[in-house]
């Protein structure tokens, strides 16, 4: 069995993303999971996506920024005319404005520069992103999800969680959600986790592994190996 690596919240920073493949001993039998938020804020999200699409051992989970981008790009892939914009539903227009204000302009600009064939391929690729992954590595169980487990209940099946629970709600890092399983998340920059004392470093505690090291905010891109606990900061 190959090794399992995780990273998250690359946010369009293609240069940091490329360094993963220089730094890691990533072999064909190894797997890299990206825990969402590949797009928005940084300047080259499409470069990252196009590269990921060519790598059979790289998989991404859905993040809240992919959800916003997918919704808005589907809307904008229609023929855009003044008449069409006038007839947007208020919630569609508000969603578009919210996305652009939250870093979507970089994704829209990069997407617009693609060929029609590349645009279609990217849209189809977005649809392949999973909401979570459950893994057993070296005898330990892991749940990978972008943000957390909002409205948590130990009796709840993962399929019962709403999108907002998995893509937006931040975990309680004082809480052990599963005594026999590690919850691996991105979304919350680790400098904001009080127990991490402002450090842009991977946080581990109470069966949490938090890996968003603030790449979008001048922090490094963190990578963690589930097999042996090695960490990289790019």
């Amino acid at each position: 069995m190959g090794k399992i690596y995780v990273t998250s919240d690359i946010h369009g920073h293609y240069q940091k993303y490329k360094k993963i493949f220089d730094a890691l001993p990533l072999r064909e039998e190894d797997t890299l999971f990206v825990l969402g938020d590949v797009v928005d804020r940084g300047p080259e999200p499409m470069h990252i996506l196009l590269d990921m699409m060519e790598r059979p051992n790289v998989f991404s989970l859905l993040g809240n920024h992919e959800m916003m981008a997918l919704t808005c790009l589907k809307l904008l892939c229609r023929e855009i005319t003044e008449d069409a914009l006038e007839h947007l539903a208020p919630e569609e227009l508000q969603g578009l404005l919210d996305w652009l204000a939250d870093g979507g302009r970089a994704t829209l600009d990069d997407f617009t520069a693609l060929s029609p064939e590349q645009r279609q391929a990217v849209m189809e690729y977005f649809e392949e992103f999973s909401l979570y992954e459950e893994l057993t590595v070296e005898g330990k169980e892991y749940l990978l999800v972008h943000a957390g487990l909002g409205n948590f209940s130990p009796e709840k099946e993962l399929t019962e969680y709403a999108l907002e629970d998995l893509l937006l709600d931040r975990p309680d890092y004082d809480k052990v959600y599963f005594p026999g399983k590690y919850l691996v998340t991105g979304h919350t920059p680790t400098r904001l986790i009080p127990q991490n004392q402002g450090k842009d470093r991977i946080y581990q505690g109470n069966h949490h592994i938090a890996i968003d090291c603030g790449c979008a905010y001048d922090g490094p891109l963190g990578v963690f190996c589930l097999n042996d606990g090695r960490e990289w900061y790019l």
Side-chain angles (χ1 to χ4, degrees), residues 7-14 17 20 34 36-38 48 215-216 221:
T7 190
S8 189
D9 295 77
I10 305 171
H11 279 299
H13 288 276
Y14 179 59
Y17 164 79
I20 292 176
V34 182
D37 283 6
V38 176
I48 301 170
C215 177
L221 181 63

Side-chain angles (χ1 to χ4, degrees), residues 12-24:
H13 288 276
Y14 179 59
Q15 300 305 318
K16 291 181 184 179
Y17 164 79
K18 284 200 306 183
K19 290 179 181 178
I20 292 176
F21 305 101
D22 296 327
L24 267 63

Side-chain angles (χ1 to χ4, degrees), residues 126-144:
F126 271 146
E127 300 279 6
E128 296 175 6
F129 287 13
S130 57
L131 282 173
Y132 57 83
E133 292 285 344
E134 294 181 279
L135 305 171
T136 301
V137 182
E138 305 290 344
K140 294 180 179 179
E141 294 185 18
Y142 297 89
L143 171 61
L144 280 52

Side-chain angles (χ1 to χ4, degrees), residues 22 25 28 67 70 76 79 85 102 125 142 150 155 161 166 170 180 182 195 197-198 223 229:
D22 296 327
E28 287 185 9
M67 178 58 68
L70 183 58
L76 294 173
E79 183 181 358
L85 289 172
D102 200 10
Y125 184 56
Y142 297 89
E155 292 80 28
Y161 286 91
L166 303 177
R170 303 185 191 278
Y182 293 86
Q195 299 91 323
Q197 301 176 331
V223 184

Side-chain angles (χ1 to χ4, degrees), residues 144-155:
L144 280 52
V145 65
H146 174 63
L149 292 172
N151 296 301
F152 174 76
S153 169
E155 292 80 28

Side-chain angles (χ1 to χ4, degrees), residues 138-183:
E138 305 290 344
K140 294 180 179 179
E141 294 185 18
Y142 297 89
L143 171 61
L144 280 52
V145 65
H146 174 63
L149 292 172
N151 296 301
F152 174 76
S153 169
E155 292 80 28
K156 214 171 183 179
E157 297 290 335
L158 288 171
T159 53
E160 297 180 78
Y161 286 91
L163 281 176
E164 292 79 7
D165 296 335
L166 303 177
L167 303 186
L168 290 171
D169 279 18
R170 303 185 191 278
D172 178 352
Y173 294 100
D174 288 324
K175 181 184 183 70
V176 177
Y177 286 83
F178 305 105
K181 185 181 295 186
Y182 293 86
L183 182 62

Side-chain angles (χ1 to χ4, degrees), residues 207-226:
H207 279 230
H208 289 271
I209 303 174
I211 61 172
D212 175 6
C213 296
C215 177
Y217 306 101
D218 298 320
L221 181 63
V223 184
F224 185 81
C225 179
L226 298 183

